[in-house]
Amino acid sequence: MAKLHFSLEGNSFGEFVLNKERMTIGRRPTNDIHIDNLAVSGEHAVIVTIGNDSFLEDLNSTNGTLVNSKPIKKHVLLHGDVIKFGKYELTYENKIQQKAPPSHGFENTVVVRPTKLPVANLDSQSKAQVAEKVVVNVKVNELEDQPQISNQAPVPQAVASQATLAVLDNPKHGFLEVLSGQDIGNKITLNKAMTTLGNSAQEVAVVTKRPHGYFITHVSGTSRPIVNDQSIGAQAHALSDQDIIEVSGIKMKFLFI
């Protein structure tokens, strides 16, 4: 499990284990990591941990956040990174990363702006052509499980197209259908490890795809995502088919069909 080693001018003040999916850092005592110093904002930054990776985001703090002496807004943490708030330092330790560095970055996520995916109106040939494309105007993390194929004959092109179409229509895939706003009716295919939703000026959430289902987690902002008219907590919230999600004032329906 990843840790943060807390120090001031070379003097150690202990460590924090990143045992929660979302941990806030700031001057207010209510933060998970409390730094009582005027150089630190009330809620200065947040660390979101998903699997073996942790992501740091500055919450529009007054004095900013430095990682390895460089100012950051969002940053995927690597073993040995030094996070600095004024004179205070948090050194990130992740022994798993020493053997296998992370293959994706938090900077590759942006506000979701989907484009239309009129799959129902396409013929079989057109579906096959778009089956492996995510028709969404959004960059998401590229971490995906890669199938291991060995001792198998090459798959004919016609068969491959049918298999690709089956992936598109796989009932175990998750989707988000936009229910409000200018993009109403559009669909987002949740086939990536993480998809970030929201507006950085208001509220940001991330939907993660895991072997046992889909989860939504609050990342930043004063408001939290709403699922079925209930605000979610600080921890990841499991999604079920037909759940109604609201992030940054935009309503979406989660489909697991």
Side-chain angles (χ1 to χ4, degrees):
M1 189 171 292
K3 300 178 180 179
L4 291 172
H5 295 276
F6 188 35
S7 63
L8 171 64
E9 297 179 339
N11 298 310
S12 177
F13 286 91
E15 63 184 31
F16 296 94
V17 178
L18 298 179
N19 55 2
K20 294 171 59 178
E21 292 209 25
R22 184 177 187 273
M23 296 183 69
T24 57
I25 304 169
R27 193 174 70 251
R28 295 195 188 105
T30 52
N31 287 282
D32 299 292
I33 300 176
H34 176 216
I35 303 178
D36 188 11
N37 187 276
L38 292 177
V40 180
S41 296
E43 282 198 1
H44 196 107
V46 63
I47 293 178
V48 175
T49 299
I50 300 173
N52 296 320
D53 297 328
S54 296
F55 310 93
L56 171 69
E57 181 177 9
D58 181 86
L59 298 178
N60 297 317
S61 64
T62 302
N63 295 314
T65 301
L66 301 179
V67 175
N68 302 328
S69 301
K70 295 181 180 180
I72 63 93
K73 178 59 181 175
K74 298 177 182 177
H75 178 78
V76 56
L77 290 168
L78 301 176
H79 177 76
D81 278 351
V82 178
I83 310 166
K84 197 166 184 179
F85 307 94
K87 294 182 178 180
Y88 291 88
E89 293 183 349
L90 292 168
T91 303
Y92 181 70
E93 177 188 313
N94 188 332
K95 293 182 179 179
I96 294 178
Q97 281 187 1
Q98 288 180 291
K99 299 179 181 180
S103 59
H104 61 284
F106 197 39
E107 293 291 353
N108 286 335
T109 60
V110 295
V111 176
V112 168
R113 282 299 308 276
T115 56
K116 291 188 177 180
L117 182 60
V119 175
N121 297 328
L122 297 178
D123 56 27
S124 298
Q125 182 178 0
S126 298
K127 281 186 179 181
Q129 291 174 348
V130 303
E132 293 188 295
K133 298 180 182 178
V134 181
V135 190
V136 177
N137 185 23
V138 55
K139 293 182 180 179
V140 295
N141 295 297
E142 297 297 332
L143 182 63
E144 294 182 309
D145 294 330
Q146 297 297 326
Q148 301 297 319
I149 301 176
S150 59
N151 301 322
Q152 295 183 10
V155 181
Q157 183 61 42
V159 176
S161 296
Q162 293 177 2
T164 301
L165 184 58
V167 170
L168 183 67
D169 295 331
N170 192 327
K172 296 300 182 181
H173 274 57
F175 301 87
L176 288 176
E177 180 181 353
V178 182
L179 302 179
S180 66
Q182 63 181 2
D183 297 313
I184 187 171
N186 293 345
K187 285 187 178 180
I188 303 165
T189 306
L190 300 173
N191 62 347
K192 303 295 183 180
M194 292 192 299
T195 302
T196 300
L197 308 173
N199 185 326
S200 59
Q202 301 175 21
E203 173 191 351
V204 175
V206 62
V207 175
T208 56
K209 178 184 178 182
R210 304 182 186 180
H212 52 290
Y214 290 83
F215 295 77
I216 185 168
T217 306
H218 174 67
V219 175
S220 66
T222 55
S223 300
R224 295 183 183 276
I226 296 173
V227 178
N228 299 330
D229 297 323
Q230 297 292 324
S231 178
I232 70 170
Q235 302 302 309
H237 180 90
L239 293 173
S240 300
D241 184 38
Q242 302 296 318
D243 276 352
I244 303 299
I245 303 167
E246 183 174 342
V247 179
S248 292
I250 301 298
K251 287 189 175 182
M252 292 162 280
K253 181 188 290 185
F254 174 72
L255 302 172
F256 192 57
I257 53 178

